[in-house]
Amino acid sequence: MRPSPIQRITFAGRSFFLKRDDLLHPHLSGNKARKFHFLQQKRDIKEIQSFGSLHSNAMYSLSFLAKERGLSFIYYARPDPSLKNPKGNLGAALENGMILRPLEDWPYSKELSHTIQIGSCLYLPEGGRCPEAEEGIAILAKEILEWAKKERKSPTVFLPSGTGTTALFLQKYLPFQVYTIPCVGGEAYLWEQFEALDPTAPKPIILPPPKKYRFGRLYLKLFELWRELKAQTGVTFDLLYDPVGFATLLHHDLLDEDLLYIHQGGIMGNETMIERYKAKLDKIAKTDKGAQ
Ligand SMILES: *Cc1c(COP(=O)(O)O)cnc(C)c1O
């Protein structure tokens, strides 16, 4: 894997730096390429099993890795209406040969935070939240350190968190302060994830978002912010994590030349989010007309 580029970007009149992990690999969205890097060395497996949401970037990335390596991939999830017409991550993962099973059949705890290998089958926790992820994230840290040395910078690093795996291991390997925000649960949930993964590692600072956003819910203000980001920077960000990230940075006035934002990919998941936002906007337009 070649290092991903770091670019200077301007948004809302502020300049900051952007680590383009979204450009790492066309089929392995950003931080999943880092978190699943350890799988490259796992030569003794024939099957991968994991669980989580039907829209997850981790699910899609695993389906791609499995296809490339000729492994079977079994994924446990709660069925939902998107199965009738699979798109985005789900559509692509099914095309890659992913086998779906009901969530109740997942043989381990949902809180599992390490991998389990039984014979040639590897069981992975939700979202790749496992100690082995450290290896690939250490490489990301090394790339950042090399850039900082060359450019004589000591940036503040920012990235939105799901399980917090990427933020925690980045902080472990960087002498710079790492800031993150909880996107999936609240601050307490994120702190628990940090503790479960590595109780002794220094922890990133958790910033509170300006308001409580439920993961996967639609917020027209966030969609507007995402569109504005695209219009002003030319970069497509993800629609689940990044808009909350930028809303928080703007709120705490942290967008400046000392900031390095990690773009963690996830663009494949945008298709279904955009569709949902369009449907919501159409509905609003219709009710507005009806009211006139
Ligand atoms: C998976 C993912 C995250 C969350 O990463 P964690 O290591 O679980 O915190 C953030 N952004 C994008 C785009 C992702 O795909």
Side-chain angles (χ1 to χ4, degrees):
M1 216 162 24
R2 302 225 337 254
S4 66
I6 293 181
Q7 299 167 341
R8 193 159 174 271
I9 298 279
T10 302
F11 179 65
R14 312 292 183 85
S15 287
F16 62 99
F17 291 89
L18 185 65
K19 175 79 170 154
R20 300 293 306 273
D21 258 16
D22 56 316
L23 302 178
L24 265 184
H25 191 288
H27 295 289
L28 277 174
S29 51
N31 79 351
K32 303 309 179 290
R34 307 288 189 182
K35 288 165 88 170
F36 296 136
H37 187 262
F38 74 95
L39 286 173
Q40 281 183 17
Q41 269 85 53
K42 279 223 141 287
R43 289 284 141 195
D44 56 342
I45 52 171
K46 293 202 177 78
E47 182 167 292
I48 294 171
Q49 299 202 13
S50 191
F51 75 97
S53 117
L54 280 180
H55 310 280
S56 127
N57 297 328
M59 172 194 74
Y60 169 66
S61 301
L62 285 174
S63 78
F64 175 79
L65 278 168
K67 188 181 96 172
E68 260 210 331
R69 293 262 304 273
L71 312 174
S72 56
F73 175 44
I74 297 174
Y75 192 73
Y76 300 81
R78 203 166 279 126
D80 76 26
S82 63
L83 276 171
K84 282 205 201 92
N85 184 14
K87 291 190 177 141
N89 282 330
L90 179 61
L94 289 169
E95 257 171 47
N96 285 340
M98 173 177 76
I99 299 162
L100 275 178
R101 287 199 188 146
L103 187 60
E104 312 84 81
D105 293 350
W106 168 251
Y108 298 102
S109 156
K110 306 241 170 22
E111 273 74 54
L112 184 71
S113 58
H114 56 92
T115 59
I116 294 173
Q117 188 170 347
I118 309 276
S120 59
C121 178
L122 189 72
Y123 294 88
L124 283 169
E126 182 169 18
R129 181 191 55 162
C130 56
E132 291 92 332
E134 181 169 343
E135 186 192 310
I137 298 164
I139 300 171
L140 167 60
K142 195 165 148 248
E143 292 175 17
I144 293 171
L145 270 172
E146 272 163 15
W147 169 81
K149 205 165 147 198
K150 198 165 134 243
E151 302 288 324
R152 295 165 188 266
K153 292 200 171 291
S154 56
T156 301
V157 175
F158 179 91
L159 69 166
S161 277
T163 65
T165 311
T166 314
L168 180 74
F169 289 135
L170 258 191
Q171 184 65 90
K172 188 166 175 178
Y173 286 90
L174 284 178
F176 316 127
Q177 186 61 56
V178 174
Y179 285 93
T180 191
I181 49 156
C183 289
V184 170
E187 282 165 60
Y189 158 85
L190 188 54
W191 195 260
E192 269 171 37
Q193 305 302 303
F194 289 160
E195 287 288 317
L197 265 174
D198 195 336
T200 58
K203 308 289 186 289
I205 292 179
I206 302 177
L207 289 174
K211 62 172 265 186
K212 204 162 168 39
Y213 298 103
R214 284 266 305 273
F215 191 63
R217 268 251 187 106
L218 305 184
Y219 297 91
L220 289 178
K221 281 236 163 69
L222 293 185
F223 191 47
E224 232 167 73
L225 180 56
W226 176 84
R227 287 212 278 213
E228 210 37 57
L229 276 161
K230 168 102 188 168
Q232 290 187 29
T233 68
V235 179
T236 304
F237 287 89
D238 122 282
L239 259 165
L240 280 170
Y241 299 90
D242 290 325
V244 186
F246 279 99
T248 309
L249 289 172
L250 292 170
H251 179 76
H252 293 282
D253 202 12
L254 287 169
L255 267 190
D256 60 33
E257 299 265 334
D258 291 326
L259 187 86
L260 177 65
Y261 189 103
I262 316 289
H263 191 323
Q264 301 177 90
I267 305 311
M268 173 77 81
N270 281 358
E271 186 185 355
T272 45
M273 285 295 282
I274 292 169
E275 242 174 45
R276 288 173 61 210
Y277 270 119
K278 289 215 165 121
K280 186 173 172 127
L281 287 167
D282 277 354
K283 213 164 141 193
I284 292 170
K286 274 194 196 120
T287 28
D288 281 356
K289 252 193 203 153
Q292 274 165 19

